[in-house]
Amino acid sequence: LCVSPTPTSHPPSFIIQGCRQLSSFWTMFTSYGATSNDSTNRPNLAAEGATKDKDETAPLSTSSLEKGKTTTTTSRRWTPGYVAPFVCLFLPWLLCTLNWLSLGFALRYRHPELSWLVVHMGLVAIGVEGYFMLVAWRKRSKRDLTWLSFLLATSGIAWCVGLYFGLATYSMHMRPLYEIQSLETYVNVDPRYARGQQYMDGGRFIFTKSSFPNPGKSSSVQDDSSEVYCAAPVETRDEERLASYDFWVIGKDCCPPAADSFTCAGTSTSAHAATRVLDETDLSKYRSAVQAAASKYGLSTVTPLLLTWQEDPISLVNEQKDIAIHNFTFGALLYFIFQLFGVAVTSSGIMPCTGR
C-alpha cells in the first residue's frame, strides 16, 4: 500500500523569491566598490609559458620563493565596499529625523494617521534589516554580519530617539501653537461689555489700553504638592463694577497667600494682551481659583476664559516655533555626528579583515 505524504504548508513562491531578491540586492550593494588584488597579483601566464623552457633546469632561488609566497598572501586581501558604510550612516539618521518631523510638527496636527504611518514604516525597515542580518548569519559572512548588526542596533536606537523627541516637541511647543493659530484673534476687547460666550473661538486677545488684571481681586488654591494656582479678573481702571467677569489671568506660584500679591501678569505696564490657555492639565485647579475669587469678592462669572497676560502674544507664539525648529536642527546634527562616529569605529574594525 502506498501512503501519501502528509501535505505541508509552504510560504507562497513570490514571497520566497522576493526575499531572495532582497538578499541578492544587499550582497550587491555591500560588495559594490570592493576590490580584489587577485587579478593584479596573478602571474602573467603568457610570459611564464614563454620562459618556461628556460627556467625548467634553473634552480629555484630564495627570492622566487619569497615572491610566490607574497603573491599568495596578497591575493586574499580585499578592500570593503563603500556602499555599506554609506547605508549605515544615513539610514538610521533618516529614521530619527523622519520620526521627529512626522510626530513633532504640522503633519501630526493636520494628518495624524499619516504621521503614524511614517513611524510604522520605519519599523518595517528595521524588520527588513533584521532579515538581512539573519541571512548573513546563515551564510557565515562575517563582514556582512558586522555591518548589519551595527545597522540594526543603530536603527532601533534612532527610531526610539526620533519617537521620543517628536512627541516631546509636539506636546511642549507645536501643539499649543497650532491650537492657538487655529483660533481667532480679537482686537480692542473691552471687558466692560465683552462676554466670554462671544469669544469662545478666540485664541489671542488685544484688550483696550485701560484693561489690566486686578491683583486686589485675585485668589488662589493650593494642591497636595504645595503648588499655588492663581487667578485674577481683567477689568478697566475706572473701577467700574462689571456685570460679568469672564476674562481671568492665571498663573502658578505667582500669588503668595501670605503676601496678598499677584505677579502672574509680569511687571510691564504697557501689556494689555493675552493668550488663551487650552492645556487641560491644570484647568480644573485654575477654575477652582476663579470660583474662590468670585466667592471671596462677590463677583459674577458666567463663562470664564483663562488667559496668560502678555505684551505681544503673536511674537510669543512665533518664539515657540523658533525654539522647536532650533531644537530639531541641533538634535539632527548631533545625531548625525554620533552616527558618523559609530560608522568610523565599525569601519576601522572591518578594514583589517582578510578573506574572499
Side-chain angles (χ1 to χ4, degrees):
L1 295 178
C2 296
V3 180
S4 59
T6 303
T8 57
S9 59
H10 297 282
S13 59
F14 70 91
I15 295 180
I16 298 176
Q17 293 297 330
C19 292
R20 290 175 179 174
Q21 195 69 18
L22 288 174
S23 178
S24 64
F25 284 160
W26 172 260
T27 304
M28 179 184 68
F29 285 153
T30 55
S31 61
Y32 186 71
T35 57
S36 176
N37 293 327
D38 289 345
S39 59
T40 57
N41 296 318
R42 189 175 297 154
N44 191 330
L45 297 179
E48 183 181 353
T51 57
K52 183 176 180 181
D53 296 335
K54 298 180 180 180
D55 296 340
E56 281 182 349
T57 57
L60 293 176
S61 62
T62 305
S63 60
S64 299
L65 293 176
E66 292 178 354
K67 182 178 180 181
K69 183 177 179 181
T70 304
T71 302
T72 304
T73 302
T74 57
S75 65
R76 294 177 56 83
R77 295 184 181 274
W78 49 263
T79 304
Y82 53 81
V83 176
F86 182 86
V87 172
C88 292
L89 173 63
F90 283 99
L91 184 57
W93 180 75
L94 284 175
L95 287 175
C96 178
T97 54
L98 285 177
N99 276 7
W100 198 334
L101 281 173
S102 60
L103 292 180
F105 292 90
L107 183 63
R108 184 181 176 188
Y109 184 77
R110 297 172 183 171
H111 307 284
E113 299 84 2
L114 183 58
S115 68
W116 284 107
L117 177 62
V118 173
V119 174
H120 286 91
M121 289 301 294
L123 282 179
V124 173
I126 294 175
V128 173
E129 295 170 7
Y131 168 76
F132 283 146
M133 190 182 72
L134 181 61
V135 171
W137 177 77
R138 288 179 177 177
K139 291 182 177 180
R140 299 296 190 269
S141 177
K142 180 179 178 182
R143 175 173 171 269
D144 287 349
L145 186 60
T146 301
W147 277 121
L148 287 167
S149 300
F150 172 80
L151 179 63
L152 183 63
T154 54
S155 295
I157 295 174
W159 189 88
C160 295
V161 169
L163 179 72
Y164 174 80
F165 283 104
L167 295 174
T169 299
Y170 186 76
S171 61
M172 294 175 59
H173 301 289
M174 301 310 296
R175 185 182 66 181
L177 183 146
Y178 293 138
E179 290 176 346
I180 290 298
Q181 288 181 340
S182 66
L183 300 175
E184 297 292 335
T185 299
Y186 289 99
V187 181
N188 201 29
V189 179
D190 193 334
R192 295 176 298 176
Y193 311 111
R195 298 294 178 265
Q197 189 65 33
Q198 300 172 306
Y199 297 94
M200 292 299 295
D201 61 343
R204 287 170 286 190
F205 303 91
I206 310 296
F207 290 93
T208 57
K209 293 185 178 181
S210 61
S211 303
F212 75 107
N214 189 353
K217 296 179 181 178
S218 64
S219 185
S220 62
V221 295
Q222 189 172 355
D223 63 359
D224 298 335
S225 60
S226 299
E227 290 182 325
V228 180
Y229 297 85
C230 314
V234 178
E235 57 183 15
T236 57
R237 300 186 185 276
D238 56 10
E239 299 182 357
E240 177 182 349
R241 187 174 183 86
L242 307 184
S244 180
Y245 292 81
D246 288 345
F247 299 95
W248 293 79
V249 176
I250 62 173
K252 185 184 294 185
D253 296 328
C254 51
C255 57
D260 193 20
S261 62
F262 183 84
T263 59
C264 306
T267 59
S268 176
T269 57
S270 61
H272 56 279
T275 300
R276 181 108 168 253
V277 177
L278 301 174
D279 188 6
E280 298 287 342
T281 305
D282 298 321
L283 283 187
S284 61
K285 298 175 182 177
Y286 287 122
R287 290 193 180 100
S288 298
V290 171
Q291 294 299 326
S295 300
K296 182 178 180 180
Y297 300 103
L299 307 178
S300 174
T301 176
V302 180
T303 310
L305 300 181
L306 305 183
L307 313 170
T308 55
W309 198 252
Q310 298 158 355
E311 188 170 357
D312 187 359
I314 297 178
S315 63
L316 186 64
V317 169
N318 294 332
E319 181 182 348
Q320 292 297 315
K321 182 179 180 180
D322 293 340
I323 292 175
I325 294 176
H326 174 269
N327 290 342
F328 167 75
T329 305
F330 178 76
L333 179 61
L334 188 64
Y335 195 87
F336 183 83
I337 295 174
F338 165 77
Q339 192 69 22
L340 181 62
F341 175 78
V343 170
V345 172
T346 306
S347 298
S348 64
I350 291 180
M351 279 279 204
C353 292
T354 60
R356 293 192 183 273

